[in-house]
Amino acid sequence: MNHRQVVLDILQIAGGEDNIRGAEHELTAITLVLKDRTQADFSILSTKQFTANIRLEGERCRIELESESVALDVFNTLTGSYYVHKIEDGEQETKLEAKKSFSVLHFISDVFRPLLPVILGAGLIKVLLGIILLLNQLISDDPMLMDEPIFNLLSMIANTPVYLLPVLIAVSTAYRLRSNMYVAATLGGFMFYPEVTMWLNGEKTARLFGVEIISQPSLYSSVPWVILAVCAAAYLERRINRRVPRAFQGIAAAFMSLVILLPVILLILSIVGTFVDDYAGEWISSFVESAPVLAVMLIAAFFSLLMIAGVQYCLVPIIIYEITYAGYSIVLPTMYVAMFGHAGATLAVALRSRRGETKRTAVWSSVVALLGVPEPAIYAVNMSKRIAFYSALLGGGIGGLYMGLTSVSISVISGGFGSLFEIPLFIEEGSLNVLHACIGLAVSFVVAGALTYWLAGRMSKSVQH
């Protein structure tokens, strides 16, 4: 084997010599601590016969070579002939370097990525059901199809992964943190307990330490809150297991995590939800009334952030008020344009990527985002590529600006975040509303995609130089 060529290949994978904080050698593996994981370039894996096994976890890139002698020779060449720092004290310093370059977006994306197959599979079922409904509407006006048991069964199957997303996210986070997955699943699944479900659905009221538990399931099931809860449980578990006798290890950590974290989570989210209920909706409503064009642009740009935080429900009263008193809503279309921006950015990631797995994932995520399932595009693709995520926000804002200027509206509340199948909802007799809606969605999609493609190309060229 040509060790010099292997070193050059590893430097290309790492995104260049300047992107390596340090290197560590252990038996047949070399671990590189990267400054910026987004600069890593894995295109060499599809263009050359590079036989090493590579695993990227956070900012740590672990490369397994064929033997100890090869790994040692490559490591010595890296640290001797190039400006690559040799990490002497091993694990402790490597962890310290990784912590310095920790990225919240990357962590959330890494947690979500193992769930992608089941989310995409469920999304394809939704796509199939949407096509069937569309064909049924074109052929016949009979709505009885939606009442068919098999149709309802498939619809429930398609919604199950999203319904159980808090549990799935909790387990995935615990697996990544190497903490107790069953404690994590309990934290994520607590909201499905019948009594708690009634609290969150508003069927019963409850107060905790004088604070009323708000009835907003979307807030309690949002991805970041679940991840934070499991991270706190993992931290408690490590701390407690170090201090209790061996006979109580595991049990004490689980007990303390559940008895402390679940009430704290309910209390914190109730306080956040109360603030959103009391202030956020009122602020946004007054903003929409005083500066509708600017408000639509900003809501379209930042709607996905509201969705990620689980507070998108603050827009629902505004939309209902608009439709009730004006007969239409200019806020509801912002959800459509925001999701189309993420679909465009995801497609650009697919076009730029040279890795077959990334390309395949991004293409399918873009397709299902256009058809009403945005989670894979947002969490698994765009969050792992910061330029794609920010480009999606900008694309949504520009598309929203066009919709605000042309007063695009909708008079029917749909069940999701908007899809191609729901474009007919924009049709208004004697109006160009649907045309302007299509242009606004296309602007969002194209701007987000073009910006992502251009910035990704510039980043790739900078790495090569």
Side-chain angles (χ1 to χ4, degrees):
M1 173 182 285
N2 186 344
H3 296 164
R4 177 69 60 176
Q5 185 59 49
V6 173
V7 171
L8 294 175
D9 293 342
I10 290 175
L11 289 173
Q12 179 181 337
I13 290 170
E17 179 181 348
D18 294 335
N19 194 41
I20 303 176
R21 289 185 183 274
E24 183 182 44
H25 171 242
E26 179 186 2
L27 299 177
T28 61
I30 296 174
T31 300
L32 305 177
V33 180
L34 307 181
K35 296 178 182 177
D36 183 359
R37 61 170 280 158
T38 63
Q39 294 188 24
D41 180 14
F42 296 98
S43 59
I44 190 174
L45 300 179
S46 59
T47 59
K48 293 187 178 183
Q49 296 298 320
F50 191 72
T51 57
N53 182 24
I54 300 177
R55 186 169 71 252
L56 185 63
E57 295 182 355
E59 306 298 325
R60 292 166 58 86
C61 181
R62 182 179 175 86
I63 303 171
E64 292 274 357
L65 297 172
E66 60 184 18
S67 67
E68 291 185 30
S69 60
V70 171
L72 182 59
D73 289 341
V74 170
F75 178 77
N76 289 335
T77 304
L78 269 175
T79 56
S81 302
Y82 296 88
Y83 293 104
V84 176
H85 172 66
K86 182 188 296 185
I87 296 178
E88 299 287 354
D89 354 324
E91 191 69 23
Q92 184 175 357
E93 186 171 346
T94 304
K95 284 184 177 179
L96 181 62
E97 294 291 341
K99 286 180 182 177
K100 289 181 181 178
S101 52
F102 176 77
S103 169
V104 173
L105 291 181
H106 289 152
F107 184 79
I108 295 176
S109 180
D110 289 343
V111 166
F112 194 88
R113 194 172 292 112
L115 311 178
L116 198 57
V118 69
I119 300 293
L120 284 176
L124 291 178
I125 297 176
K126 287 189 175 184
V127 171
L128 177 63
L129 295 178
I131 294 174
I132 293 173
L133 275 179
L134 183 62
L135 292 176
N136 182 70
Q137 291 175 358
L138 293 175
I139 297 173
S140 170
D141 294 331
D142 185 8
M144 293 298 293
L145 177 63
M146 296 183 66
D147 297 328
E148 290 292 331
I150 184 64
F151 190 92
N152 290 330
L153 176 62
L154 289 176
S155 180
M156 288 186 287
I157 292 172
N159 289 323
T160 297
V162 176
Y163 179 74
L164 295 177
L165 194 59
V167 179
L168 299 177
I169 288 292
V171 171
S172 181
T173 305
Y175 178 80
R176 179 168 174 77
L177 296 175
R178 296 180 177 86
S179 62
N180 192 318
M181 290 189 289
Y182 304 104
V183 171
T186 304
L187 292 173
F190 177 68
M191 62 176 290
F192 298 111
Y193 190 82
E195 190 80 8
V196 179
T197 301
M198 286 190 283
W199 294 347
L200 301 186
N201 288 333
E203 298 175 25
K204 281 189 175 182
T205 58
R207 302 184 73 86
L208 184 64
F209 303 119
V211 177
E212 185 175 348
I213 297 175
I214 64 165
S215 56
Q216 293 298 344
S218 63
L219 178 60
Y220 295 91
S221 62
S222 64
V223 172
W225 296 116
V226 175
I227 290 177
L228 282 174
V230 177
C231 287
Y235 176 80
L236 275 178
E237 180 183 335
R238 292 187 176 91
R239 288 284 183 177
I240 293 171
N241 283 339
R242 291 174 187 168
R243 288 167 170 76
V244 299
R246 185 178 296 272
F248 293 97
Q249 286 185 357
I251 298 174
F255 169 77
M256 295 298 291
S257 296
L258 295 177
V259 80
I260 293 175
L261 287 179
L262 283 175
V264 168
I265 291 168
L266 283 176
L267 182 61
I268 292 175
L269 294 185
S270 294
I271 294 173
V272 172
T274 301
F275 176 83
V276 172
D277 283 347
D278 292 345
Y279 300 103
E282 184 179 342
W283 291 343
I284 296 174
S285 180
S286 61
F287 188 29
V288 171
E289 290 180 5
S290 59
V293 175
L294 183 60
V296 167
M297 181 188 73
L298 293 178
I299 294 173
F302 297 111
F303 174 76
S304 54
L305 296 180
L306 296 178
M307 190 186 80
I308 290 169
V311 296
Q312 73 275 15
Y313 64 85
C314 68
L315 299 177
V316 175
I318 301 173
I319 294 170
I320 293 175
Y321 179 85
E322 286 181 312
I323 293 178
T324 301
Y325 290 96
Y328 60 86
S329 171
I330 62 172
V331 173
L332 183 56
T334 60
M335 301 182 185
Y336 291 74
V337 77
M339 297 305 105
F340 272 62
H342 279 284
T346 303
L347 182 60
V349 171
L351 295 176
R352 271 295 182 190
S353 177
R354 297 180 182 178
R355 294 185 64 198
E357 181 182 354
T358 302
K359 184 182 292 290
R360 181 171 61 253
T361 297
V363 167
W364 281 111
S365 297
S366 180
V367 169
V368 298
L370 288 173
L371 299 174
V373 186
E375 288 86 0
I378 295 175
Y379 293 110
V381 180
N382 292 343
M383 273 194 175
S384 66
K385 311 284 185 182
R386 280 177 290 186
I387 56 172
F389 188 78
Y390 299 142
S391 297
L393 300 185
L394 183 60
I398 295 176
L401 176 61
Y402 178 85
M403 285 191 166
L405 291 171
T406 55
S407 300
V408 172
S409 63
I410 194 170
S411 57
V412 179
I413 298 178
S414 61
F417 294 113
S419 73
L420 287 173
F421 295 127
E422 295 172 358
I423 287 180
L425 298 178
F426 289 94
I427 296 176
E428 292 181 0
E429 188 175 351
S431 167
L432 295 177
N433 188 67
V434 68
L435 175 62
H436 289 306
C438 291
I439 294 174
L441 295 176
V443 167
S444 175
F445 184 88
V446 172
V447 168
L451 190 59
T452 301
Y453 191 86
W454 177 62
L455 291 175
R458 289 196 62 183
M459 182 176 291
S460 178
K461 288 180 181 178
S462 66
V463 170
Q464 291 174 3
H465 292 306

